[in-house]
């Protein structure tokens, strides 16, 4: 084959690639390729056999694309029965979940070619001056009032003055608009306030966040009648009413669509009058704030057997509000979730009669409860649990970094040991990812997006990352943090972590069924429309043909895009980030977006409806999508902060980490694809030269650990709104004070070590005696001796643990 043949062949492939990637219209690409083939034919193309092959493929593709009438009549129409069998069946509850909330940036990630400038153009989420003032004053004051040891182990509740302060300063009405007497704060403010409180007390944070997330206030704001809003919202804002929302039943947890609690439409007596209402029976558990609630939000299935409202027997899942003092309502007992002190317990009701106007939104919203819950869950799940996860990471970053710098083994700070450095590096990088994701996701809510898929990603991955962070922190602190007591800053976060993993959609469910299960249907540009057209009673063949042709173009475009990216290593992918190191990572994220689109489409085409039952396949695709989202949040945070040079090592570590997780998920997906030959083929297309992405290198750990070990802007920014005490009684204050003294005392410590090596002082002497001897010998000045003694006293106080009498009753009294 001569050079001319090679060149013209490459041009032909380039035209095909361009047409597919940019999804040119059928007439455009057929005209373009046809004209080029005519030119080759007329000019005497040197390889006649290759030219014939080109023409055969071209004519077949052109005929398929342009003979629309024949294609619709003989191909699409005849394939319709097969397509009906292949398509997943979407239940009513699944449809309501799919229709709840919005897609956002995650849809771009599914496209195979995300528009990064679109992400960077989203306004930076910021706190208002009023919100900043509230954080610096009311939240700071609240944190100073909290004693987590007392709350968890002595009172098993918040003190009365804390409850009063929460109500007085409207902490329970942060999301309620000012017109109803609330604070009217943004989602970002709500999230940040929870972060700060949680860095002081998880129990207090949960008691505070629940009324502001999935609960009566949120539901009333979106769906309540004017009368319901006017009655309840001012009372909720002032804390005159304490709300709870009851969804989980003993036999309906993650499968909330199978709620057994029922309400029958009937006539009954209320205040001496016969009215049309509902007779309810329920048995709920795990309900936060239920033991102290004054108003109960309830999810139940509503039936109308006597057709008093219409023709339907089963109206569907419905939500209502019931005063807890209403006859038949049972509350008061409590659960004790992993010894945390937030209020949580069961509620039951037997033959409780309520009027129809207690339905949230009135009778018109009867049967709409599942959609209402899914929409509000997408908001609450974007804020509350991600905030708790971020608070855990911020605390671990600030306290563990300082402790590792101050704690010594073999006369060396333990931060210098590579094993400790690895744990610290994971804490550091994870904290950056969590803070970036928290800000971006809560910012979406402030843009009036209901990010159903992004919130599921945030809930699952942020709580899982926080679980790894707290484990690393416990490993570094070792015995120091396994001894419970007032000196322990991490034990409550460690104990609380399984709760975050479990609630608001258990993590196993979220990963295996929701992230990709809903994400594919909502984010795919054509799938939902195809399902609707194919499963319709009278399918619109013309509309279906248009969608199928667009889908084919989308698939072929991503297939060719993957081939091009894999063969070139993604080096020529368009990227917009200015920093050269980070720009390389941005290109790889685009490459993996294309890989996700190809793997997802292949699964949908070949597995069809059975994909719903193949949870591991779905989970691994969801992992790739999720890591793309987390990486996007890191890029967005870096951009919004002004691309500071101090962050570059952190950003590179985070993006390398996310890419390595995508590699693992992709490998597992390809190795376990049900049709083995398809998995091998996809593997050759996406990763033709083997594994591309590996975990961050050892050297990168050292770079991101360093800012943890001394006072600096990056450390303060990443741990901003992490509560730090104001006096010596607080371990957080002592850690900061000691860390600030390290640069001053480090040269003095070196002098002492040299004096010991020279025999001026001996290790058999106590520290105090060594300081005195070194001062007398002229090794240290009096001022240096004083500074060293103060520092050592502070350091010893930091590494102390609590001691209790032999009678353990003292601990749990």
């Amino acid at each position: 084959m001569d050079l001319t043949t090679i060149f013209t062949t490459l041009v032909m492939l380039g035209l095909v690639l361009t047409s597919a990637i940019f999804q040119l219209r059928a007439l455009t690409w057929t005209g373009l390729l046809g004209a080029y083939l005519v030119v080759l034919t007329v000019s005497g193309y040197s390889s006649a056999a290759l030219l014939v092959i080109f023409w055969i493929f071209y004519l077949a593709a052109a005929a398929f694309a342009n003979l629309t009438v024949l294609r619709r009549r003989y191909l699409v129409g005849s394939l319709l029965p097969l397509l009906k069998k292949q398509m997943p069946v979407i239940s009513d509850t699944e449809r309501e979940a799919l229709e709840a909330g919005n897609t956002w940036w995650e849809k771009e990630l599914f496209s195979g070619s995300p528009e990064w400038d679109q992400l960077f153009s989203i306004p930076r989420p910021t706190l208002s001056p009023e919100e900043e003032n509230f954080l610096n004053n009311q939240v700071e004051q609240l944190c100073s009032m909290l004693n987590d040891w007392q709350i968890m182990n002595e009172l098993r509740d918040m003190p009365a003055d804390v409850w009063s302060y929460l109500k007085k300063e409207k902490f329970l009405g942060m999301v309620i608009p000012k017109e109803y007497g609330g604070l009217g704060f943004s989602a970002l403010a709500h999230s940040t306030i929870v972060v700060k409180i949680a860095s002081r007390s998880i129990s207090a944070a949960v008691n505070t966040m629940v009324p502001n997330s999935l609960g009566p206030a949120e539901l009333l704001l979106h769906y309540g009648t004017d009368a319901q809003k006017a009655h309840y919202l001012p009372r909720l804002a002032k804390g005159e009413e304490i709300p709870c929302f009851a969804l989980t039943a003993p036999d309906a947890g993650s499968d909330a669509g199978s709620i057994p609690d029922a309400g029958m439409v009937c006539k009954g007596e209320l205040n001496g009058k016969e009215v049309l209402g509902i007779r309810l029976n329920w048995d709920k558990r795990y309900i936060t704030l239920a033991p102290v609630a004054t108003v109960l939000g309830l999810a139940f299935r509503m039936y109308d057997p006597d057709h008093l409202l219409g023709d339907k027997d089963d109206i569907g899942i419905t939500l209502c509000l019931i005063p807890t003092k209403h006859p038949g309502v049972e509350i008061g007992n409590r659960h004790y979730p992993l010894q945390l002190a937030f209020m949580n317990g069961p509620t039951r009701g037997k033959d409780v009669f309520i009027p129809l106007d207690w339905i949230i939104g009135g009778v018109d919203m009867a049967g709409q409860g599942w959609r209402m819950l899914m929409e509000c869950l997408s908001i609450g799940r974007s804020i509350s649990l991600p905030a708790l996860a971020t608070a855990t990471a911020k605390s671990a970053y600030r306290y563990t970094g300082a402790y590792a710098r101050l704690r010594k083994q073999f006369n060396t700070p333990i931060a210098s040991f590579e094993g400790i450095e690895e744990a610290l590096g994971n804490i550091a990088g994870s904290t950056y990812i969590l803070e970036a994701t928290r800000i971006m996701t809560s910012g979406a809510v402030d843009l009036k997006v209901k990010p159903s898929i992004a919130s599921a990603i945030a809930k699952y991955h942020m709580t899982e990352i926080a679980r790894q962070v707290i484990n690393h922190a416990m490993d570094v602190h070792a015995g120091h943090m396994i001894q419970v007591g007032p000196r322990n800053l991490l034990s409550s976060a460690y104990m609380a972590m399984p709760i975050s993993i479990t609630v608001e959609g258990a993590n196993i469910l979220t990963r295996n069924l929701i992230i990709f299960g809903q994400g594919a249907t909502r984010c795919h540009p054509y799938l939902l429309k195809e399902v609707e057209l194919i499963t319709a009673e009278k399918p619109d063949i013309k509309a279906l043909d248009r969608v199928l042709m667009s889908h084919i173009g989308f698939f072929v475009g991503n297939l060719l895009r993957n081939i091009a990216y894999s063969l070139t290593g993604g080096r020529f992918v368009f990227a917009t980030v200015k920093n050269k190191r980070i720009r390389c990572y941005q290109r790889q994220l685009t490459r993996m977006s294309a890989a996700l689109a190809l793997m997802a489409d292949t699964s949908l085409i070949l597995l069809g409806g059975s994909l719903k039952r193949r949870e591991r396949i779905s989970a691994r695709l969801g992992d790739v999508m999720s890591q793309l989202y987390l990486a996007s949040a890191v890029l967005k945070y870096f951009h919004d902060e002004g691309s500071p040079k101090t962050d570059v090592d952190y950003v590179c570590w985070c993006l390398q980490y996310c890419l390595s997780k995508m590699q693992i998920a992709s490998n597992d997906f390809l190795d376990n694809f049900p049709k083995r030959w398809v998995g091998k083929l996809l593997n050759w297309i996406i990763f033709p030269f083997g594994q591309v992405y590996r975990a961050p290198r050892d050297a990168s750990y050292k770079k991101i650990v360093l800012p943890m070990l001394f006072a600096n802007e990056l450390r303060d920014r990443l741990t901003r709104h992490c509560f730090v005490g104001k006096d010596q009684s607080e371990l957080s204050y002592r850690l900061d004070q000691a860390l600030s003294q390290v640069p001053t005392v480090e040269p003095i410590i070196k002098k002492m070590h040299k004096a010991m090596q020279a025999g001026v002082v001996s290790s058999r002497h106590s520290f105090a005696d060594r300081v005195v001897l070194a001062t007398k010998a002229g090794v240290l000045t009096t001022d240096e001796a004083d500074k060293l003694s103060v520092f050592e006293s502070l350091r010893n106080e930091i590494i102390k643990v609590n001691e209790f009498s032999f009678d353990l009753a003292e601990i749990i009294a």
Side-chain angles (χ1 to χ4, degrees):
M1 185 179 289
D2 58 29
L3 289 176
T4 303
T5 303
I6 294 172
F7 176 75
T8 51
T9 303
L10 288 175
V11 172
M12 182 67 180
L13 293 175
L15 290 174
V16 172
L17 194 65
T18 301
S19 300
I21 289 176
F22 291 99
Q23 292 185 257
L24 301 180
R25 294 172 63 88
L27 286 175
T28 304
W29 68 258
T30 51
L32 186 67
L33 293 177
Y36 184 69
L37 285 174
V38 168
V39 170
L40 291 182
T41 304
V42 171
S43 62
Y45 189 60
S46 59
S47 176
L50 192 59
L51 186 61
V52 169
I53 293 172
F54 283 164
W55 272 111
I56 291 172
F57 276 103
Y58 167 74
L59 291 173
F64 177 78
N66 291 285
L67 299 179
T68 308
V69 175
L70 294 176
R71 184 181 66 242
R72 290 173 179 172
R73 179 179 299 174
Y74 295 107
L75 185 60
V76 177
S78 60
L79 285 176
L80 192 57
L82 177 62
L83 292 174
K84 282 182 178 288
K85 292 180 180 179
Q86 189 77 349
M87 279 293 154
V89 177
I90 301 178
S91 67
D92 290 340
T93 52
E94 286 175 321
R95 185 173 295 278
E96 288 179 344
L98 289 171
E99 292 172 354
N102 315 113
T103 53
W104 187 51
W105 172 248
E106 63 272 31
K107 191 165 186 175
E108 279 293 313
L109 297 174
F110 211 91
S111 70
S113 182
E115 294 287 343
W116 292 103
D117 283 343
Q118 179 181 320
L119 175 69
F120 299 142
S121 66
I122 297 171
R124 176 188 182 184
T126 55
L127 298 171
S128 69
E130 181 185 4
E131 292 165 344
E132 287 276 13
N133 183 68
F134 190 84
L135 273 158
N136 295 333
N137 291 281
Q138 283 91 334
V139 181
E140 185 76 16
Q141 174 62 28
L142 172 65
C143 288
S144 69
M145 298 168 66
L146 297 172
N147 180 328
D148 199 43
W149 175 258
Q150 178 195 48
I151 289 170
M152 286 184 60
N153 297 280
E154 296 173 8
L155 300 177
R156 297 182 181 83
D157 189 6
M158 295 190 305
D161 64 326
V162 171
W163 277 110
S164 297
Y165 189 76
L166 287 175
K167 296 174 183 178
K168 175 191 168 195
E169 298 296 339
K170 301 183 180 180
F171 277 83
L172 308 184
M174 286 189 286
V175 301
I176 296 175
K178 291 182 179 180
E179 63 187 280
Y180 293 108
L183 294 175
F185 281 173
S186 64
L188 179 62
H190 175 191
S191 170
T192 308
I193 289 166
V194 172
V195 165
K196 187 160 187 172
I197 300 172
S199 71
R200 180 65 161 167
S201 169
I202 297 286
S203 297
V206 173
N207 279 336
T208 304
M209 76 187 191
V210 167
N212 291 288
S213 54
L214 179 59
E218 189 75 38
L219 291 164
L220 285 168
L221 283 169
H222 290 282
Y223 312 107
T225 64
D226 290 341
Q228 289 171 341
K229 292 177 182 178
H231 176 77
Y232 278 113
L233 290 178
R235 290 171 170 78
L236 290 168
K238 296 175 186 176
E240 293 174 0
E241 299 276 13
I242 301 295
C244 70
F245 189 83
L247 174 64
T248 304
D251 290 318
S254 297
D255 185 19
S258 301
I259 291 174
D261 312 288
M264 302 292 176
V265 178
C266 62
K267 292 182 179 180
E269 187 175 309
L270 187 73
N271 299 326
K273 296 181 181 179
E274 185 180 70
V275 297
L276 189 60
I278 310 165
R279 192 164 300 281
L280 288 161
N281 289 277
W282 73 86
D283 181 8
K284 305 285 193 180
R285 62 181 181 181
Y286 312 150
I287 312 305
T288 301
L289 292 183
V292 296
T294 61
V295 59
L296 167 68
L298 183 70
F300 65 96
R301 185 169 288 277
M302 184 171 169
Y303 298 93
D304 185 15
D306 297 326
H307 298 167
L308 298 174
L309 297 179
D311 297 331
K312 293 177 67 176
D313 288 321
D314 183 354
I315 294 176
I317 296 173
T318 303
L319 313 180
C320 69
L321 291 178
I322 310 173
T324 55
K325 292 184 178 179
H326 190 65
V329 177
E330 179 186 332
I331 65 165
N333 292 335
R334 67 179 294 184
H335 303 311
Y336 198 20
L338 289 175
Q339 298 187 354
L340 269 75
F342 65 87
M343 290 292 110
N344 184 276
T347 174
R348 300 177 182 88
K350 183 172 177 59
D351 293 331
V352 178
F353 181 79
I354 66 168
L356 288 174
D357 58 10
W358 286 8
I359 296 173
I360 298 177
V363 178
D364 290 343
M365 297 305 291
Q368 301 296 312
W370 189 243
R371 178 177 63 83
M372 294 159 67
L373 285 172
M374 290 299 99
E375 288 185 349
C376 284
L377 184 62
S378 71
I379 296 173
R381 206 162 46 181
S382 302
I383 299 169
S384 54
L385 294 172
L388 292 184
T390 307
T392 297
K394 284 174 178 279
S395 299
Y397 184 105
R398 192 171 188 95
Y399 304 147
T400 309
Y403 180 80
R405 181 65 186 82
L406 298 168
R407 183 77 169 95
K408 293 185 176 182
Q409 290 286 303
F410 311 107
N411 289 322
T412 303
I414 62 173
S416 301
F417 295 98
E418 289 191 352
I420 299 295
E421 184 181 82
E422 183 178 3
L424 291 175
N426 284 312
I427 293 170
S430 296
T431 302
Y432 199 96
I433 292 172
L434 291 174
E435 177 71 345
T437 308
R438 177 187 76 87
I439 292 174
M440 187 169 96
T441 309
S442 58
V445 177
D446 285 327
L447 294 173
K448 308 305 178 186
V449 176
K450 297 176 181 176
S452 55
I453 310 305
S455 68
I457 292 172
K459 190 275 169 178
Y460 171 75
H461 285 278
M462 293 182 73
T463 54
E464 289 292 343
I465 291 172
R467 172 153 61 177
Q468 296 168 18
V469 166
I470 196 65
N471 284 339
H472 286 307
M474 294 294 284
D475 286 348
V476 173
H477 285 273
H480 185 240
M481 283 295 158
I482 65 170
Q483 306 301 333
V484 296
R487 292 175 176 271
N488 194 318
L489 291 171
L490 299 179
S491 61
S492 61
Y494 181 77
M495 293 169 69
M497 191 49 60
I499 300 173
S500 293
I501 297 293
T502 301
V503 301
E504 292 191 19
N507 276 13
I508 291 177
L509 166 80
T510 302
R511 176 175 180 259
N512 286 273
L513 296 178
I514 296 178
I515 293 175
F516 183 78
Q518 290 186 13
T521 310
R522 292 298 306 275
C523 297
H524 194 288
Y526 308 109
L527 179 60
L528 186 58
K529 188 65 176 175
E530 286 171 341
V531 172
E532 291 171 347
L533 288 169
I534 291 170
T535 57
E537 289 186 14
K538 295 182 178 180
D540 184 337
I541 298 297
K542 288 184 179 180
L544 178 59
D545 175 73
R546 285 195 296 270
V547 175
L548 287 174
M549 289 301 293
S550 296
H551 192 164
I552 291 169
F554 177 76
F555 177 81
V556 173
N558 277 312
L559 173 63
L560 295 178
R561 187 181 283 117
N562 271 278
I563 293 172
Y565 290 170
S566 63
L567 293 177
T568 62
R571 291 179 179 83
F572 304 107
V573 177
F574 179 72
T576 57
V577 176
K578 292 181 180 179
N579 184 278
K580 186 176 180 180
R581 288 173 63 194
I582 297 173
R583 190 162 61 242
C584 294
Y585 286 107
Q586 186 189 10
R587 292 191 176 105
Q588 297 308 313
L589 295 179
T590 300
R591 176 181 176 181
M592 285 309 300
S593 172
L596 170 65
L598 180 63
M599 291 189 292
D601 247 343
T602 303
S603 301
L604 292 166
I605 292 168
L606 296 181
L607 303 180
S610 69
L611 184 58
K612 288 173 65 175
R613 299 186 298 275
R614 298 183 182 274
E615 295 177 23
R616 292 190 181 95
I617 296 293
S618 178
R620 289 157 184 157
L621 290 170
D623 287 345
V624 177
M625 185 177 184
S626 299
Q627 294 299 331
L628 282 168
Y629 182 82
L630 298 180
S632 300
V634 169
L635 286 177
K636 172 72 169 139
Y637 178 81
F638 178 69
H639 174 271
D640 287 350
E641 289 296 323
S643 305
K645 292 182 179 179
T646 55
D647 290 31
V648 171
D649 289 327
Y650 270 74
V651 174
C652 291
W653 187 97
C654 294
L655 298 181
Q656 187 67 47
Y657 171 88
C658 291
L659 286 167
S660 69
K661 292 295 183 183
M662 290 182 225
Q663 181 78 65
I664 292 169
S666 299
N667 289 348
D668 290 344
F669 168 84
L670 297 168
D671 290 345
N672 293 280
F673 196 78
K675 299 180 186 300
R676 296 296 301 276
W677 68 270
V678 174
K680 290 182 181 296
L681 178 62
L682 284 175
N683 192 52
W684 181 85
I685 292 170
I686 299 170
F687 304 116
F689 306 116
Q691 182 169 330
V692 178
Y693 311 114
R694 289 173 171 79
R697 297 176 66 85
D698 292 350
S700 66
Y701 277 82
K702 190 178 294 294
K703 292 176 181 177
I704 66 172
V705 166
L706 186 60
M708 299 177 73
L709 308 180
F710 65 98
N712 60 85
E713 183 276 334
L714 177 57
R715 176 177 182 265
D716 288 341
R717 172 156 45 89
L718 282 184
T719 60
R720 190 182 178 207
H721 304 304
C722 180
F723 178 76
V724 178
K726 297 294 188 291
D727 57 61
Q728 289 284 354
S729 66
E730 299 280 0
L731 178 56
S732 57
Y733 177 85
R734 294 194 294 268
L735 281 165
D736 269 16
Q737 287 297 300
L739 195 63
S740 68
Q741 294 176 23
V742 167
T744 302
V745 301
E746 212 164 36
I748 305 173
I749 293 172
K750 288 180 180 178
K751 284 185 178 182
M752 282 287 291
H753 285 163
K754 287 182 179 179
M756 291 176 66
Q757 290 171 352
V760 177
V761 295
S762 172
S763 59
R764 69 175 182 271
H765 295 116
S766 67
F767 179 82
D769 289 342
R770 290 201 298 270
V771 172
V772 171
L773 291 171
T775 306
K776 288 180 178 180
V779 174
L780 302 180
T781 65
T782 303
D783 181 59
E784 288 174 332
D786 290 342
K787 288 178 179 177
L788 186 57
S789 297
V790 169
F791 175 78
E792 186 63 17
S793 175
L794 186 57
R795 196 185 70 85
N796 283 333
E797 191 63 29
I798 287 168
I799 64 175
K800 282 182 181 178
V801 297
N802 285 104
E803 299 176 7
F804 299 94
S805 69
F806 193 77
D807 183 4
L808 290 180
E810 179 186 336
I811 302 178
I812 59 175

